Amino acid sequence: MQKLGILLIALFITTFSQAQDAKTLLKEVSAKAKSYDNISIDFKYNLNNSKENVNQETRGDVTLQGDKYVLNMLGTTRIFDGKNIYTIVPEDEEVTISAYNPKDDKEITPSKMLTFYEKGYTYKMDIEQNVKGRKIQYIKLIPIDSKAEIKDILLGIDVQTKHIYKLIQTDDKGTKYTLTVNSFKTNQPVSKTLFTFDEAKYKKDGYYINKL
């Protein structure tokens, strides 16, 4: 019984230490991300569900400045100016405009991509990898909400730069979403109109404007 008690105490201390180490590293990542005027990321995105025999891979890029962003992915451009989300689909010549409501935003959107883990998760240190000479430390995040659709998230962090290298999200249906950062650039020259949607221009080009 005494040995069991000692083992339980040792396990608690180890778990607590891992959680503190993970918390410290995540704070450093968050502080680093918030220190930049803007961030430009080129990434690879993979969706995989072995049970459903689904495996899709694509590339994309996103520019972030505060909460604002411009995301290019799957032939679609999404602009968020801090108030509205503009989804531009050139193939259909259509733009959908929707007001942003943070209460409805439960996904890891570009705005929250580098800071989503600050609330709503428990975390602990996971595996460590060497990727082309870079030390990548993974942290496992589990939603506090037991009803959340997300089962867990593995966040791979470049220990030297404190930049996110990979995000692996698994949902309750076994679908795995993997985002791998190919390039991470900061404080780039950004046009003042980058996050501004020019409705007149798209109307002139014959786009259908759908306001929700």
Side-chain angles (χ1 to χ4, degrees):
M1 184 65 72
Q2 186 177 1
K3 287 183 178 179
L4 178 60
I6 292 172
L7 285 172
L8 288 172
I9 291 170
L11 178 61
F12 172 78
I13 292 172
T14 301
T15 303
F16 179 76
S17 176
Q18 285 188 346
Q20 287 298 106
D21 289 344
K23 185 177 182 179
T24 299
L25 183 54
L26 288 174
K27 277 189 172 181
E28 291 174 342
V29 173
S30 180
K32 196 72 177 289
K34 291 175 180 177
S35 71
Y36 300 123
D37 290 333
N38 59 69
I39 298 171
S40 296
I41 298 172
D42 181 86
F43 60 86
K44 179 175 68 175
Y45 181 78
N46 177 268
L47 185 154
N48 181 274
N49 187 314
S50 55
K51 291 181 181 179
E52 301 293 333
N53 196 29
V54 174
N55 187 51
Q56 300 174 349
E57 189 166 291
T58 188
R59 300 178 77 93
D61 62 81
V62 61
T63 299
L64 308 160
Q65 188 173 65
D67 289 334
K68 300 176 182 179
Y69 66 79
V70 175
L71 170 67
N72 296 297
M73 185 175 168
L74 295 171
T76 298
T77 297
R78 176 176 286 190
I79 301 172
F80 178 50
D81 61 7
K83 293 182 179 180
N84 295 311
I85 298 172
Y86 306 89
T87 304
I88 305 165
V89 186
E91 185 177 352
D92 299 331
E93 293 189 339
E94 182 177 355
V95 177
T96 300
I97 304 174
S98 57
Y100 174 69
N101 186 347
K103 292 182 180 179
D104 296 334
D105 190 358
K106 297 179 181 179
E107 299 180 354
I108 301 175
T109 60
S111 294
K112 300 189 296 183
M113 179 181 169
L114 303 176
T115 56
F116 73 90
Y117 46 79
E118 294 179 336
K119 294 180 181 179
Y121 295 89
T122 60
Y123 31 75
K124 63 179 180 179
M125 301 295 266
D126 205 271
I127 64 170
E128 181 184 301
Q129 289 183 337
N130 186 298
V131 179
K132 297 180 180 179
R134 299 163 63 192
K135 181 180 176 182
I136 307 298
Q137 174 65 58
Y138 284 85
I139 294 177
K140 189 170 187 177
L141 299 102
I142 298 175
I144 294 172
D145 181 2
S146 59
K147 297 180 181 179
E149 294 181 0
I150 298 173
K151 180 183 176 183
D152 60 57
I153 296 173
L154 276 173
L155 196 63
I157 297 166
D158 186 318
V159 175
Q160 182 177 359
T161 63
K162 301 298 187 296
H163 293 165
I164 292 175
Y165 165 70
K166 182 173 287 192
L167 186 153
I168 306 170
Q169 174 182 311
T170 305
D171 67 19
D172 55 3
K173 295 180 182 178
T175 303
K176 186 176 289 186
Y177 308 85
T178 303
L179 187 150
T180 305
V181 174
N182 294 321
S183 70
F184 192 108
K185 298 179 181 179
T186 61
N187 300 336
Q188 299 295 297
V190 173
S191 167
K192 292 181 180 179
T193 60
L194 180 63
F195 307 101
T196 303
F197 175 71
D198 187 347
E199 184 172 337
K201 172 184 177 298
Y202 285 92
K203 280 185 175 180
K204 184 180 178 181
D205 290 342
Y207 276 65
Y208 172 69
I209 309 296
N210 180 27
K211 295 184 179 180
L212 302 181

